[in-house]
Amino acid sequence: MSRRCFLIVNPTSGTFSQQKVDLIMAGLKGRGLEPILMPTQSAADPALFASRICADESDPLIVVAGGDGTINGVLNGLAPGGATLGVIPLGTSNVLARELDISSIDDALDRLARGESRLVSVGEVQRDGEKRRFVLMAGAGFDGAVVRDVRLSEKRAIGKGAYLLSALRNLRDWDASQLTVTGGGKSVTCHGVIVCNAAKYGGDFRLAPEADLFTPGFQVLCISGGRLAYLGLALGLLNGTAVYSRHVTTFRATEIELSGAKAVQLDGDYVCPTPLTIRSIPELVRLVV
């Protein structure tokens, strides 16, 4: 008997096409699954769809065909411990798919057919009583400002290149203010911080080798210094030595507090400014691996 799955598709994802959706639907059916197609029409839809599915189904299989932002939306609608999540990469960077070493749409479909899954821990940000989850990373400071200031027209035209243009604008209009990061028995004053729940960042760049989706807690990277420190971090990402830079302080934590007034991004989408708190939530959802 075929297992029903809910296929949430974002038509605005970076590499979306109707032809790909048709192939995914056929591929799921050909592998013994019964997909129900749920295309999104707004940024709020992924969370709403996930919430409704979890309210109606005791053990749903939810498949996201989109990018990291769509996955994050679904993540924020899930009931804890009540769903299995599958990923089919159709986004601009597809960092979660890269973290799982998913090489193609066919590879993702084969994994869904096998049905192997593992419990995943996620992060949760809280500010003024509002909560928001993330699965990859939370970035505050330069990192958050770059995401906040990406222009949609540029992203549509040149994909990931839009982030480089935003980074250059933020390097030009430098914000020298500081924030304080407290957690894991440490208190660090720095220019920016990246709280990593996964090892990879922005694609295949291995920013946080000690971070692991399947282990509760974060690798926290506090970046001090000015423009040159961030340029050095970028070069470090290219050769795999970023976390050993003298401008980067790194430690493990399950809960942290951020002070100051810095832009914050979660999984590649701007959400709010600091101050806020972040905590690790163990085993929120099963992830198809």
Side-chain angles (χ1 to χ4, degrees):
M1 182 176 177
S2 297
R3 181 180 183 184
R4 181 165 61 172
C5 67
F6 300 87
L7 178 63
I8 298 177
V9 176
N10 181 1
T12 66
S13 292
T15 61
F16 169 88
S17 73
Q18 187 57 51
Q19 182 182 23
K20 288 181 180 178
V21 174
D22 293 340
L23 289 171
I24 290 168
M25 288 287 287
L28 290 169
K29 292 175 182 176
R31 288 167 173 82
L33 294 167
E34 182 186 338
I36 297 173
L37 182 60
M38 304 180 72
T40 65
Q41 295 182 323
S42 74
D45 279 349
L48 289 174
F49 290 172
S51 178
R52 290 171 186 165
I53 292 166
C54 288
D56 294 339
E57 303 280 332
S58 60
D59 182 26
L61 173 57
I62 301 174
V63 181
V64 183
D68 296 310
T70 309
I71 295 166
N72 181 276
V74 170
L75 184 75
N76 278 279
L78 294 176
T84 299
L85 184 65
V87 176
I88 300 177
L90 289 184
T92 302
S93 298
N94 300 311
V95 179
L96 181 57
R98 293 173 188 270
E99 188 78 13
L100 297 171
D101 292 323
I102 296 174
S103 59
S104 65
I105 290 175
D106 279 338
D107 183 21
L109 292 170
D110 289 341
R111 294 177 188 223
L112 286 163
R114 289 195 299 269
E116 297 176 11
S117 63
R118 293 181 65 184
L119 285 164
V120 170
S121 299
V122 304
E124 182 182 77
V125 166
Q126 182 169 346
R127 184 180 189 273
D128 295 335
E130 297 291 327
K131 297 179 180 180
R132 178 88 184 188
R133 299 168 183 160
F134 63 94
V135 68
L136 296 168
M137 87 294 287
F142 180 76
D143 184 67
V146 167
V147 173
R148 179 195 62 196
D149 297 339
V150 165
R151 295 172 182 172
L152 184 58
S153 60
E154 292 173 350
K155 189 174 181 181
R156 286 173 175 164
I158 57 175
K160 286 191 286 187
Y163 293 90
L164 175 59
L165 293 178
S166 179
L168 292 173
R169 288 191 291 267
N170 274 279
L171 286 170
R172 179 195 64 197
D173 304 324
W174 187 250
D175 171 15
S177 65
Q178 302 258 304
L179 54 78
T180 300
V181 183
T182 305
K186 294 183 178 290
S187 182
V188 181
T189 298
C190 55
H191 181 270
V193 61
I194 305 175
V195 180
C196 301
N197 193 52
K200 292 184 178 178
Y201 176 89
D204 277 324
F205 300 113
R206 194 170 178 82
L207 177 65
E210 295 177 18
D212 178 18
L213 289 170
F214 309 106
T215 303
F218 313 110
Q219 184 175 357
V220 183
L221 291 87
C222 301
I223 302 103
S224 59
R227 296 178 178 88
L228 291 178
Y230 281 90
L231 291 173
L233 180 62
L235 291 173
L237 278 176
L238 294 176
N239 63 28
T241 61
V243 295
Y244 305 113
S245 163
R246 64 185 179 87
H247 296 291
V248 178
T249 301
T250 181
F251 58 90
R252 294 281 305 176
T254 56
E255 295 188 19
I256 63 172
E257 294 185 5
L258 306 184
S259 70
K262 293 281 193 174
V264 177
Q265 62 92 3
L266 303 180
D267 291 346
D269 284 334
Y270 172 75
V271 288
C272 65
T274 57
L276 50 76
T277 61
I278 304 176
R279 68 185 182 104
S280 179
I281 304 177
E283 301 182 349
L284 179 89
V285 63
R286 299 199 72 88
L287 184 64
V288 173
V289 295

